[in-house]
Amino acid sequence: MAAASFLFNIANSILGKLGSHALQEFYLIWGVKNELKKLKKTLVTIRDVLLDAEDQQSKNHELTNWLKELKDVLYDADDFLDEIQTHVQQSQRLKPKVCFLFSPFKFLLFRYRMGYKVKEIRERLDNIAADKAKFHLSDRTIALEMNKRDLTYSFILPSDVVGRRNESEEVIEVLMQKGVVDDQSRLSVVSIVGIGGVGKTTLAKLVYRDERIVKNFPVRIWLCASQDFDVAKLSRNIVNLASGASCDNFNVEQVHASLQDALRGKRFLLIIDDVWSRDRSKWLELRSLLMVGECGSKVVVTTRSDYIASMMESVVTYNLKELPHEDCLSLFLKWAFRNGQERHFPNLTKIGEDIVKKCKGVPLAVKTLGSMLYATTDEREWLKVRDDEIWQLNQEDDDILPALRLSYNQLPYYLKQCFAYCSIFPKGQEIASSMLIQLWLAQGLIHSSNENQELEDVGLHYVKELCSRSLFEEVEAYDSFISIKMHDLVHDLAVLVAQTDCCVIKNNTDSITEKVRHVTLFSYSPSEESIPGILCKQKRIRTIFAPSEGFERYAALLVGQCISRFKYLRVLDLRHSSLETLPDSIGNMKHLRYIDFSGNNNIQMLPSNICKLPNLQTLRIVLCTKLQKLPRELGNLVSLRHLYLTTKEQNLPEKGLGSLALLQSLSIFGCENLVSLFEGIQKLTKLRTLVIGDCPRLTALPRGIVHLSALENFMIVNCEELMLSDWPDFEGLKRIRSLVIGGLPHLVSLPEWLKGDCNSLKFIRISTCPSFIAMPDWLENSTSLEQLEITGCPKFSSLPDSMSCLTTLRMLKIQKCPELTRRCEKDAGEDWTKIAHIQEIHLNDITIYN
């Protein structure tokens, strides 16, 4: 289904490499110019028919096989050219020593090997190209630029939900009941059951946010159940959400005790969204822990299974039906048109009615197709959706909705492989946009013809476009930081279109195809002797992703095997492993671009050879709590763009960090001994994001921080001794867009240098600053500010009069500021007139929409 569009993307990547300066130099040195010229010519002729091949492959099995053969050759060519680029770039950095690297014999041998490899790939590609004619494929060219599409977002206000009002009232009535139900049990379960995409989660959110529910349940907790209903993880999340305290380092007994302490004697509402596990013993284990709450506590479960609702002994099971046609049409028009614009396009509205009927009352399908057609007024495009043959496919009960498959088919070519790569994540996982973009970057999935545009910005556009098409759901967003999830059905779609490229290995996985490139180890507990046997024959693995617990004791074995077997590995994610050391041979992984060893509590030193990785872009070693110091040669990581670190050092090495010329984001977290940052921080001229957190001995920031001319995002939290000095002689951070400050007991007001350019600042969050008393005077000049959050600042008692001038401010959140909350009460508070123009206001647990 997706092979051709993937190959179009890979072919473009290869053509880009063939035209690079590094490859031009390689042509001259190694005498392979003619071979590579022939390869490029053949590749162009193949690329130009790939989009036509995508349309025809579903009808032609032989064409599908041709595309599979082509994919193998293109992946091999991509790996080979990546190796050449790396070699040339290393040679350029070593000049004038490069001429001494090879003896005459080694020079000739290397030239022979390279020439042979180029010829072999070119001949394989020629053989495939020779078969192209029998498929009668047409050339099809497209613009290689990103679509400049108006972006909408998958988050909508509860007041914007179409339909489900009667259903939400019925569920709320059940939850508010007292008497008979509560006499039977201290804890009652209400289940919402329905098919995938019908709106179970949306209904639960409407109920969860209702003011009556907020007032009736002092404690409200929202959980998304894992596929295996992991009681330990669910318990930890309950503690974190109910008490605000972290118990990540607690053992099981401590977690259970903390959970009961957090809930004891309190009336709570617990939502458990998307339950799949039929293991009753796990539910009973969790239920026994929850029985300490006040009588009248409730659990709401959403599930596709009537059996699960019965297993959890639901006092009420609400079977959610399909959304009525009128509501579906309203929902579709809301997502397909700007406000009220549908009345200008009666023909499109009529076609939309036919499209909606095909969605069979499933809101997810309706919303996805509406998003896909948003701002498209070409009647032919609407007819193409209505009349697509995909609606004629036979559907199984649990098959992926045709609407979702159609939405994927309509994606721009550059988004298809990015979307499919997301199948490596477990279902239900929240994904930080920054991490996702870095993974895409490591796989070479992000491209731009504009040399002045950062690839991370292009990646962010990709994320926002997938959100606008409702294939991603925003969980939280502020400025460039977006946390997203994928609906289960959308995740199933990603797995389907990824085909053989990606696979998940579990304990019961007994075989995988040799074509696989990206592997996720999920809930996997290997034997001590080896990595999964089914991986042993693989040589082309590009991703090892192990995001869950279960194999920690075998991480060292896994790393060793990965390094010895997977020459082309680009992503190695072994977070929360128990590695004690890394082998020196990791320095040989020339293709490696992304390493994540976060949360490792055993490793004390990193080998110096890790600094020999020429292509490493992202290094995550945050919360490696025993790491004694950073490698002195860190500055040799010439491609490093993103660094997340924890260390026991008192001072960060200026020579190493200050030499990272391409560094865009730096996160310094959990450094319990850190006293000061390095004074030469201004050398990081490309730094756009700086995060400093949980550094209890840090007392001051270096003055050089105000000279970070590219800095856009600044976060500093939980640094109890830190004093934010005011340097009046400095103009401040000119490009600052988001500012997050929290856990600074000495902070009274924001210093002048944080204001930046008045037109750049979009987001401010201030939390847990007990001495903070007022917003600065320069706030009134922040004419682009969109979101302001103030939490846990009890001395902050009133808002400035200038708040009414902030016309772009669309969201204000105030929590745990008693006097300020009172003054901001709707209509009655003294400060209400200052904020009445703001679209969304949160005062503790009360939400006001204007």
PDB file of all heavy atoms in Angstrom, residues 173-201:
ATOM      1  N   GLU A 173     -25.304  11.745  35.370  1.00  0.00           N
ATOM      2  CA  GLU A 173     -26.367  11.407  36.329  1.00  0.00           C
ATOM      3  C   GLU A 173     -26.009  10.153  37.123  1.00  0.00           C
ATOM      4  O   GLU A 173     -26.208  10.102  38.339  1.00  0.00           O
ATOM      5  CB  GLU A 173     -27.685  11.205  35.577  1.00  0.00           C
ATOM      6  CG  GLU A 173     -28.872  10.925  36.498  1.00  0.00           C
ATOM      7  CD  GLU A 173     -30.171  10.743  35.734  1.00  0.00           C
ATOM      8  OE1 GLU A 173     -30.193  11.031  34.508  1.00  0.00           O
ATOM      9  OE2 GLU A 173     -31.156  10.301  36.348  1.00  0.00           O
ATOM     10  N   VAL A 174     -25.472   9.165  36.439  1.00  0.00           N
ATOM     11  CA  VAL A 174     -25.069   7.932  37.129  1.00  0.00           C
ATOM     12  C   VAL A 174     -23.935   8.210  38.125  1.00  0.00           C
ATOM     13  O   VAL A 174     -23.944   7.732  39.266  1.00  0.00           O
ATOM     14  CB  VAL A 174     -24.627   6.864  36.111  1.00  0.00           C
ATOM     15  CG1 VAL A 174     -23.998   5.663  36.824  1.00  0.00           C
ATOM     16  CG2 VAL A 174     -25.806   6.421  35.264  1.00  0.00           C
ATOM     17  N   LEU A 175     -22.966   9.016  37.704  1.00  0.00           N
ATOM     18  CA  LEU A 175     -21.813   9.288  38.571  1.00  0.00           C
ATOM     19  C   LEU A 175     -22.203  10.117  39.792  1.00  0.00           C
ATOM     20  O   LEU A 175     -21.557  10.014  40.846  1.00  0.00           O
ATOM     21  CB  LEU A 175     -20.731  10.025  37.778  1.00  0.00           C
ATOM     22  CG  LEU A 175     -20.082   9.234  36.639  1.00  0.00           C
ATOM     23  CD1 LEU A 175     -19.038  10.091  35.924  1.00  0.00           C
ATOM     24  CD2 LEU A 175     -19.430   7.962  37.160  1.00  0.00           C
ATOM     25  N   MET A 176     -23.240  10.925  39.663  1.00  0.00           N
ATOM     26  CA  MET A 176     -23.643  11.775  40.781  1.00  0.00           C
ATOM     27  C   MET A 176     -24.578  11.059  41.748  1.00  0.00           C
ATOM     28  O   MET A 176     -24.893  11.593  42.815  1.00  0.00           O
ATOM     29  CB  MET A 176     -24.345  13.029  40.241  1.00  0.00           C
ATOM     30  CG  MET A 176     -23.477  13.896  39.346  1.00  0.00           C
ATOM     31  SD  MET A 176     -22.135  14.723  40.221  1.00  0.00           S
ATOM     32  CE  MET A 176     -23.068  15.957  41.122  1.00  0.00           C
ATOM     33  N   GLN A 177     -25.016   9.872  41.387  1.00  0.00           N
ATOM     34  CA  GLN A 177     -25.969   9.150  42.232  1.00  0.00           C
ATOM     35  C   GLN A 177     -25.354   8.775  43.574  1.00  0.00           C
ATOM     36  O   GLN A 177     -24.188   8.446  43.676  1.00  0.00           O
ATOM     37  CB  GLN A 177     -26.437   7.871  41.530  1.00  0.00           C
ATOM     38  CG  GLN A 177     -27.473   8.087  40.451  1.00  0.00           C
ATOM     39  CD  GLN A 177     -27.866   6.787  39.780  1.00  0.00           C
ATOM     40  OE1 GLN A 177     -27.326   5.736  40.106  1.00  0.00           O
ATOM     41  NE2 GLN A 177     -28.804   6.866  38.851  1.00  0.00           N
ATOM     42  N   LYS A 178     -26.208   8.778  44.575  1.00  0.00           N
ATOM     43  CA  LYS A 178     -25.829   8.292  45.904  1.00  0.00           C
ATOM     44  C   LYS A 178     -26.918   7.340  46.360  1.00  0.00           C
ATOM     45  O   LYS A 178     -27.990   7.259  45.774  1.00  0.00           O
ATOM     46  CB  LYS A 178     -25.685   9.442  46.889  1.00  0.00           C
ATOM     47  CG  LYS A 178     -24.583  10.433  46.510  1.00  0.00           C
ATOM     48  CD  LYS A 178     -24.482  11.559  47.512  1.00  0.00           C
ATOM     49  CE  LYS A 178     -23.383  12.539  47.113  1.00  0.00           C
ATOM     50  NZ  LYS A 178     -23.275  13.675  48.058  1.00  0.00           N
ATOM     51  N   GLY A 179     -26.657   6.621  47.392  1.00  0.00           N
ATOM     52  CA  GLY A 179     -27.711   5.743  47.918  1.00  0.00           C
ATOM     53  C   GLY A 179     -27.450   4.308  47.567  1.00  0.00           C
ATOM     54  O   GLY A 179     -26.450   3.728  47.967  1.00  0.00           O
ATOM     55  N   VAL A 180     -28.348   3.749  46.755  1.00  0.00           N
ATOM     56  CA  VAL A 180     -28.332   2.309  46.505  1.00  0.00           C
ATOM     57  C   VAL A 180     -26.982   1.851  45.975  1.00  0.00           C
ATOM     58  O   VAL A 180     -26.389   0.908  46.477  1.00  0.00           O
ATOM     59  CB  VAL A 180     -29.449   1.915  45.528  1.00  0.00           C
ATOM     60  CG1 VAL A 180     -29.381   0.428  45.221  1.00  0.00           C
ATOM     61  CG2 VAL A 180     -30.806   2.264  46.119  1.00  0.00           C
ATOM     62  N   VAL A 181     -26.514   2.542  44.959  1.00  0.00           N
ATOM     63  CA  VAL A 181     -25.257   2.104  44.354  1.00  0.00           C
ATOM     64  C   VAL A 181     -24.125   2.161  45.353  1.00  0.00           C
ATOM     65  O   VAL A 181     -23.350   1.225  45.515  1.00  0.00           O
ATOM     66  CB  VAL A 181     -24.932   2.980  43.120  1.00  0.00           C
ATOM     67  CG1 VAL A 181     -23.541   2.671  42.600  1.00  0.00           C
ATOM     68  CG2 VAL A 181     -25.974   2.742  42.028  1.00  0.00           C
ATOM     69  N   ASP A 182     -24.054   3.273  46.094  1.00  0.00           N
ATOM     70  CA  ASP A 182     -22.958   3.431  47.037  1.00  0.00           C
ATOM     71  C   ASP A 182     -23.088   2.500  48.237  1.00  0.00           C
ATOM     72  O   ASP A 182     -22.099   2.166  48.873  1.00  0.00           O
ATOM     73  CB  ASP A 182     -22.877   4.882  47.505  1.00  0.00           C
ATOM     74  CG  ASP A 182     -22.437   5.803  46.357  1.00  0.00           C
ATOM     75  OD1 ASP A 182     -21.823   5.295  45.401  1.00  0.00           O
ATOM     76  OD2 ASP A 182     -22.735   6.992  46.440  1.00  0.00           O
ATOM     77  N   ASP A 183     -24.301   2.117  48.584  1.00  0.00           N
ATOM     78  CA  ASP A 183     -24.480   1.175  49.681  1.00  0.00           C
ATOM     79  C   ASP A 183     -23.938  -0.196  49.324  1.00  0.00           C
ATOM     80  O   ASP A 183     -23.482  -0.941  50.181  1.00  0.00           O
ATOM     81  CB  ASP A 183     -25.978   1.053  50.043  1.00  0.00           C
ATOM     82  CG  ASP A 183     -26.483   2.318  50.726  1.00  0.00           C
ATOM     83  OD1 ASP A 183     -25.630   3.090  51.217  1.00  0.00           O
ATOM     84  OD2 ASP A 183     -27.707   2.525  50.758  1.00  0.00           O
ATOM     85  N   GLN A 184     -23.976  -0.530  48.029  1.00  0.00           N
ATOM     86  CA  GLN A 184     -23.513  -1.842  47.615  1.00  0.00           C
ATOM     87  C   GLN A 184     -21.991  -1.919  47.617  1.00  0.00           C
ATOM     88  O   GLN A 184     -21.413  -2.970  47.851  1.00  0.00           O
ATOM     89  CB  GLN A 184     -24.035  -2.154  46.205  1.00  0.00           C
ATOM     90  CG  GLN A 184     -25.540  -2.344  46.151  1.00  0.00           C
ATOM     91  CD  GLN A 184     -26.008  -2.557  44.716  1.00  0.00           C
ATOM     92  OE1 GLN A 184     -25.229  -2.442  43.777  1.00  0.00           O
ATOM     93  NE2 GLN A 184     -27.280  -2.878  44.565  1.00  0.00           N
ATOM     94  N   SER A 185     -21.353  -0.836  47.350  1.00  0.00           N
ATOM     95  CA  SER A 185     -19.891  -0.886  47.236  1.00  0.00           C
ATOM     96  C   SER A 185     -19.301   0.486  47.496  1.00  0.00           C
ATOM     97  O   SER A 185     -19.894   1.500  47.160  1.00  0.00           O
ATOM     98  CB  SER A 185     -19.503  -1.365  45.833  1.00  0.00           C
ATOM     99  OG  SER A 185     -18.122  -1.248  45.640  1.00  0.00           O
ATOM    100  N   ARG A 186     -18.142   0.497  48.093  1.00  0.00           N
ATOM    101  CA  ARG A 186     -17.420   1.751  48.304  1.00  0.00           C
ATOM    102  C   ARG A 186     -16.949   2.329  46.977  1.00  0.00           C
ATOM    103  O   ARG A 186     -16.749   3.536  46.844  1.00  0.00           O
ATOM    104  CB  ARG A 186     -16.228   1.490  49.219  1.00  0.00           C
ATOM    105  CG  ARG A 186     -15.368   2.716  49.518  1.00  0.00           C
ATOM    106  CD  ARG A 186     -14.293   2.381  50.514  1.00  0.00           C
ATOM    107  NE  ARG A 186     -14.884   2.105  51.815  1.00  0.00           N
ATOM    108  CZ  ARG A 186     -15.147   3.047  52.724  1.00  0.00           C
ATOM    109  NH1 ARG A 186     -14.888   4.317  52.462  1.00  0.00           N
ATOM    110  NH2 ARG A 186     -15.673   2.728  53.878  1.00  0.00           N
ATOM    111  N   LEU A 187     -16.755   1.457  45.990  1.00  0.00           N
ATOM    112  CA  LEU A 187     -16.229   1.882  44.697  1.00  0.00           C
ATOM    113  C   LEU A 187     -17.105   1.312  43.583  1.00  0.00           C
ATOM    114  O   LEU A 187     -17.294   0.106  43.493  1.00  0.00           O
ATOM    115  CB  LEU A 187     -14.787   1.376  44.528  1.00  0.00           C
ATOM    116  CG  LEU A 187     -14.049   1.807  43.264  1.00  0.00           C
ATOM    117  CD1 LEU A 187     -13.711   3.294  43.324  1.00  0.00           C
ATOM    118  CD2 LEU A 187     -12.765   0.996  43.098  1.00  0.00           C
ATOM    119  N   SER A 188     -17.645   2.179  42.725  1.00  0.00           N
ATOM    120  CA  SER A 188     -18.517   1.742  41.644  1.00  0.00           C
ATOM    121  C   SER A 188     -17.825   1.958  40.313  1.00  0.00           C
ATOM    122  O   SER A 188     -17.093   2.936  40.122  1.00  0.00           O
ATOM    123  CB  SER A 188     -19.836   2.525  41.657  1.00  0.00           C
ATOM    124  OG  SER A 188     -20.467   2.403  42.919  1.00  0.00           O
ATOM    125  N   VAL A 189     -18.100   1.039  39.384  1.00  0.00           N
ATOM    126  CA  VAL A 189     -17.509   1.113  38.048  1.00  0.00           C
ATOM    127  C   VAL A 189     -18.609   1.371  37.027  1.00  0.00           C
ATOM    128  O   VAL A 189     -19.650   0.709  37.038  1.00  0.00           O
ATOM    129  CB  VAL A 189     -16.766  -0.191  37.697  1.00  0.00           C
ATOM    130  CG1 VAL A 189     -16.169  -0.100  36.294  1.00  0.00           C
ATOM    131  CG2 VAL A 189     -15.660  -0.469  38.713  1.00  0.00           C
ATOM    132  N   VAL A 190     -18.356   2.350  36.162  1.00  0.00           N
ATOM    133  CA  VAL A 190     -19.245   2.644  35.041  1.00  0.00           C
ATOM    134  C   VAL A 190     -18.434   2.446  33.766  1.00  0.00           C
ATOM    135  O   VAL A 190     -17.351   3.012  33.621  1.00  0.00           O
ATOM    136  CB  VAL A 190     -19.785   4.085  35.107  1.00  0.00           C
ATOM    137  CG1 VAL A 190     -20.623   4.408  33.873  1.00  0.00           C
ATOM    138  CG2 VAL A 190     -20.588   4.288  36.387  1.00  0.00           C
ATOM    139  N   SER A 191     -18.951   1.647  32.844  1.00  0.00           N
ATOM    140  CA  SER A 191     -18.222   1.363  31.600  1.00  0.00           C
ATOM    141  C   SER A 191     -18.907   2.020  30.410  1.00  0.00           C
ATOM    142  O   SER A 191     -20.132   2.018  30.306  1.00  0.00           O
ATOM    143  CB  SER A 191     -18.137  -0.150  31.360  1.00  0.00           C
ATOM    144  OG  SER A 191     -17.262  -0.747  32.282  1.00  0.00           O
ATOM    145  N   ILE A 192     -18.090   2.576  29.528  1.00  0.00           N
ATOM    146  CA  ILE A 192     -18.556   3.100  28.250  1.00  0.00           C
ATOM    147  C   ILE A 192     -18.004   2.169  27.181  1.00  0.00           C
ATOM    148  O   ILE A 192     -16.791   2.064  27.009  1.00  0.00           O
ATOM    149  CB  ILE A 192     -18.081   4.545  28.013  1.00  0.00           C
ATOM    150  CG1 ILE A 192     -18.564   5.467  29.143  1.00  0.00           C
ATOM    151  CG2 ILE A 192     -18.564   5.064  26.666  1.00  0.00           C
ATOM    152  CD1 ILE A 192     -17.995   6.876  29.075  1.00  0.00           C
ATOM    153  N   VAL A 193     -18.879   1.497  26.463  1.00  0.00           N
ATOM    154  CA  VAL A 193     -18.480   0.475  25.498  1.00  0.00           C
ATOM    155  C   VAL A 193     -18.900   0.898  24.099  1.00  0.00           C
ATOM    156  O   VAL A 193     -20.009   1.412  23.902  1.00  0.00           O
ATOM    157  CB  VAL A 193     -19.123  -0.889  25.851  1.00  0.00           C
ATOM    158  CG1 VAL A 193     -18.710  -1.960  24.840  1.00  0.00           C
ATOM    159  CG2 VAL A 193     -18.726  -1.317  27.264  1.00  0.00           C
ATOM    160  N   GLY A 194     -18.021   0.690  23.133  1.00  0.00           N
ATOM    161  CA  GLY A 194     -18.363   1.025  21.747  1.00  0.00           C
ATOM    162  C   GLY A 194     -17.244   0.657  20.805  1.00  0.00           C
ATOM    163  O   GLY A 194     -16.115   0.358  21.232  1.00  0.00           O
ATOM    164  N   ILE A 195     -17.520   0.681  19.508  1.00  0.00           N
ATOM    165  CA  ILE A 195     -16.519   0.336  18.519  1.00  0.00           C
ATOM    166  C   ILE A 195     -15.440   1.411  18.473  1.00  0.00           C
ATOM    167  O   ILE A 195     -15.621   2.529  18.960  1.00  0.00           O
ATOM    168  CB  ILE A 195     -17.158   0.169  17.118  1.00  0.00           C
ATOM    169  CG1 ILE A 195     -17.780   1.501  16.655  1.00  0.00           C
ATOM    170  CG2 ILE A 195     -18.180  -0.940  17.108  1.00  0.00           C
ATOM    171  CD1 ILE A 195     -18.258   1.466  15.221  1.00  0.00           C
ATOM    172  N   GLY A 196     -14.300   1.070  17.873  1.00  0.00           N
ATOM    173  CA  GLY A 196     -13.206   2.022  17.759  1.00  0.00           C
ATOM    174  C   GLY A 196     -13.607   3.249  16.967  1.00  0.00           C
ATOM    175  O   GLY A 196     -14.229   3.146  15.908  1.00  0.00           O
ATOM    176  N   GLY A 197     -13.262   4.437  17.475  1.00  0.00           N
ATOM    177  CA  GLY A 197     -13.521   5.682  16.766  1.00  0.00           C
ATOM    178  C   GLY A 197     -14.897   6.254  16.951  1.00  0.00           C
ATOM    179  O   GLY A 197     -15.219   7.304  16.376  1.00  0.00           O
ATOM    180  N   VAL A 198     -15.749   5.593  17.777  1.00  0.00           N
ATOM    181  CA  VAL A 198     -17.126   6.058  17.907  1.00  0.00           C
ATOM    182  C   VAL A 198     -17.263   7.232  18.874  1.00  0.00           C
ATOM    183  O   VAL A 198     -18.292   7.894  18.906  1.00  0.00           O
ATOM    184  CB  VAL A 198     -18.049   4.893  18.335  1.00  0.00           C
ATOM    185  CG1 VAL A 198     -17.915   4.618  19.834  1.00  0.00           C
ATOM    186  CG2 VAL A 198     -19.492   5.151  17.943  1.00  0.00           C
ATOM    187  N   GLY A 199     -16.210   7.502  19.666  1.00  0.00           N
ATOM    188  CA  GLY A 199     -16.238   8.677  20.542  1.00  0.00           C
ATOM    189  C   GLY A 199     -16.279   8.376  22.024  1.00  0.00           C
ATOM    190  O   GLY A 199     -16.723   9.215  22.824  1.00  0.00           O
ATOM    191  N   LYS A 200     -15.799   7.199  22.432  1.00  0.00           N
ATOM    192  CA  LYS A 200     -15.814   6.839  23.862  1.00  0.00           C
ATOM    193  C   LYS A 200     -14.950   7.794  24.676  1.00  0.00           C
ATOM    194  O   LYS A 200     -15.365   8.282  25.730  1.00  0.00           O
ATOM    195  CB  LYS A 200     -15.308   5.396  24.042  1.00  0.00           C
ATOM    196  CG  LYS A 200     -16.115   4.353  23.300  1.00  0.00           C
ATOM    197  CD  LYS A 200     -15.609   2.946  23.562  1.00  0.00           C
ATOM    198  CE  LYS A 200     -14.218   2.722  23.014  1.00  0.00           C
ATOM    199  NZ  LYS A 200     -14.157   2.809  21.536  1.00  0.00           N
ATOM    200  N   THR A 201     -13.748   8.080  24.179  1.00  0.00           N
ATOM    201  CA  THR A 201     -12.838   8.970  24.909  1.00  0.00           C
ATOM    202  C   THR A 201     -13.382  10.385  24.950  1.00  0.00           C
ATOM    203  O   THR A 201     -13.297  11.069  25.977  1.00  0.00           O
ATOM    204  CB  THR A 201     -11.445   8.942  24.248  1.00  0.00           C
ATOM    205  OG1 THR A 201     -10.926   7.611  24.294  1.00  0.00           O
ATOM    206  CG2 THR A 201     -10.487   9.877  24.964  1.00  0.00           C
TER     207      THR A 201
END
